[in-house]
Amino acid sequence: MSSIPKIIIPRTPKFEVPPTISESLEPGEREPLRARIRDLLREKDAVLIAHYYTDPDIQLLAEETGGYVSDSLDMARFGHEHEATTLVVAGVRFMGETAKILNPEKRVLMPELQAECSLDLGCPPKEFAEFCDRHPDRTVVVYANTSAAVKARADWMVTSSVAVDIVRFLHERGEKILWAPDKYLGDYVQRQSGADMILWNGSCIVHEEFKSLELEDMRRRYPDAKILVHPESPEAVIRQADVVGSTTQLIKAAQALDARRFIVATDKGIFHKMQKAAPGKEFIEAPTAGRGATCRSCAHCPWMAMNGLRNLEHALVTGSGEVFVDEDIRVQAVVPIQRMLEFAMTRKKQVLGASDA
Ligand code: 13P
Ligand code: SF4
C-alpha cells in the first residue's frame, strides 16, 4: 500500500449510452442461423473470437467451430497466433482494433462496429495527447479499452490480467506512470503496486454501478459466499472482494475456490461460462440497484449486447463490419501492445518454470 497522491483530470467527455437490447430471435430461427454461420466460417477461412460478455449463442458457436472465448488479453493472443485469414471478433470495437493492429495482413470483421466502450469514448485522442504533453517525464500506460490512436501515444498497453504486474515492474525500474483511462482500475493498480501514478478520469458504465452498501447487505444474507470482483469496479466494492481479477481470472477463481456460492461483480454475461466451468456452484449478481442507483446498464454492457447471430451472419456474408486502422497509427499502436504480449509471455514462462521446479 502507498499514499502517493494522484491527480485525476476533472473532466469526462459526454457520450451517449444506448439502452441494453439483446437480440431476440423468432422461434425456429436460431438453429438455421447457427448452421449457416458454421458453414460461412469454414467457407471464408474465418475464426470466431468472442468475449465472455457476449450472448451464450455466440460463445457456443466460437467453441464449436475451433474459435475461442476469453478475456481481452487472450482474445488478442489467440487471434495473433491463429492461422485463419479472417478474424471475426465478437466484443467491442477496441478488441477488433487490437486484432487488426496485431494482424494487418488479416481481415478483421465485427458483427457491429458501433459496439463501443465507455472507457474508449471517455478518452478522446486529442485531449489525451494534451494530457501526455503536460507530463513528458511519465511512462504512458493505457488500458486495452482505448482507441488505436490513444494506444499509438502510449509506451505500454495493459489488460486487467497483467496491469498490476506491468506497473509494478515499471515502478521497480523507477518510472512514474501516466495512466488512462479507467480511474478505478488505475486506483487499484496504484494501491497494489505503490507506483507514482496520475490518472485519467474515465470509468466503465457497467462496473461503476456496483453498490458497496448493498453488497455489504448481500454478504450478510449469504455469509458463506465468496466475492469475485472485476477491478473496473469502485474501490469500496473491490475492498470487499475475496478475489479481484480479469474475467478469466474470476472464472478460474470460481472453479478453484472451495465455496459453493459466489457473489460476482462484473457483467452478467460471464455467468454462462462460470456456470460451465464450475457446475453445481451458485452465482449471484452483485447489486447494482438500491440507494441512489440509476442502473444504466444493470450489469450488462449495452455495447457487448449488440453482438447477435443475425449481425454476425450479415458480417460474414457481406464483409460489413470490417475493421480498418490507419497505417501510421497502427505502426505506433502495435509497439505498446507487443510489449505487453511479450511481458505476459515471459511472466507465463516464469510461472510455469516455477511450478515445474
Ligand atoms: P477483461 O480483459 O477482464 O476481459 O475485461 C474487458 C472488459 O471490457 C471488462 O469490462
Ligand atoms: Fe467497456 Fe465496461 Fe463494456 Fe467492458 S463492460 S466493454 S469496460 S463499457
Side-chain angles (χ1 to χ4, degrees), residues 120-136:
D120 183 347
L121 292 172
C123 189
K126 186 170 164 291
E127 283 86 339
F128 179 65
E130 287 163 9
F131 182 38
C132 295
D133 289 344
R134 288 200 294 277
H135 302 281

Side-chain angles (χ1 to χ4, degrees), residues 103-329:
N103 307 286
E105 73 295 350
K106 295 188 186 183
R107 189 164 70 132
V108 177
L109 299 178
M110 298 191 72
E112 175 54 70
L113 281 178
Q114 302 302 315
E116 304 274 1
C117 165
S118 61
L119 289 165
D120 183 347
L121 292 172
C123 189
K126 186 170 164 291
E127 283 86 339
F128 179 65
E130 287 163 9
F131 182 38
C132 295
D133 289 344
R134 288 200 294 277
H135 302 281
D137 57 324
R138 288 181 178 263
T139 302
V140 177
V141 180
V142 300
Y143 194 30
N145 303 35
T146 44
S147 63
V150 164
K151 290 183 178 82
R153 185 60 208 249
D155 299 302
W156 287 80
M157 182 191 96
V158 300
T159 68
S160 56
S161 59
V162 287
V164 171
D165 286 349
I166 287 179
V167 170
R168 189 176 282 135
F169 163 78
L170 297 173
H171 173 54
E172 282 166 5
R173 284 201 320 202
E175 295 175 37
K176 293 194 290 181
I177 310 296
L178 180 155
W179 168 274
D182 188 341
K183 64 182 172 193
Y184 296 119
L185 178 59
D187 183 56
Y188 172 70
V189 169
Q190 196 282 326
R191 281 181 279 119
Q192 294 299 306
S193 65
D196 180 333
M197 294 171 71
I198 56 172
L199 313 179
W200 185 265
N201 184 19
S203 59
C204 160
I205 57 143
V206 177
H207 290 86
E208 78 171 347
E209 282 183 348
F210 291 115
K211 296 280 175 272
S212 62
L213 291 178
E214 284 72 13
L215 179 57
E216 281 170 22
D217 292 345
M218 193 178 260
R219 284 170 53 218
R220 275 191 284 276
R221 248 180 295 142
Y222 303 107
D224 58 324
K226 296 276 185 217
I227 319 297
L228 308 178
V229 176
H230 196 282
E232 291 168 11
S233 308
E235 186 197 347
V237 173
I238 292 183
R239 234 186 296 117
Q240 299 182 52
D242 292 293
V243 175
V244 181
S246 75
T247 47
T248 297
Q249 288 163 345
L250 297 183
I251 291 168
K252 287 190 176 153
Q255 262 178 322
L257 289 180
D258 185 19
R260 307 303 306 158
R261 189 180 270 164
F262 295 86
I263 299 171
V264 183
T266 193
D267 184 294
K268 60 183 151 205
I270 204 171
F271 284 84
H272 168 71
K273 193 68 176 188
M274 249 178 198
Q275 201 72 72
K276 275 173 66 176
K281 296 192 177 182
E282 186 188 352
F283 299 102
I284 303 166
E285 275 174 42
T288 49
R291 281 161 270 185
T294 49
C295 194
R296 281 195 295 181
S297 75
C298 299
H300 193 33
C301 176
W303 294 291
M304 288 281 183
M306 289 177 175
N307 293 274
L309 291 182
R310 286 201 201 105
N311 54 12
L312 172 54
E313 187 212 18
H314 185 73
L316 279 162
V317 171
T318 64
S320 67
E322 180 162 3
V323 178
F324 296 99
V325 176
D326 176 88
E327 184 58 13
D328 289 343
I329 289 180

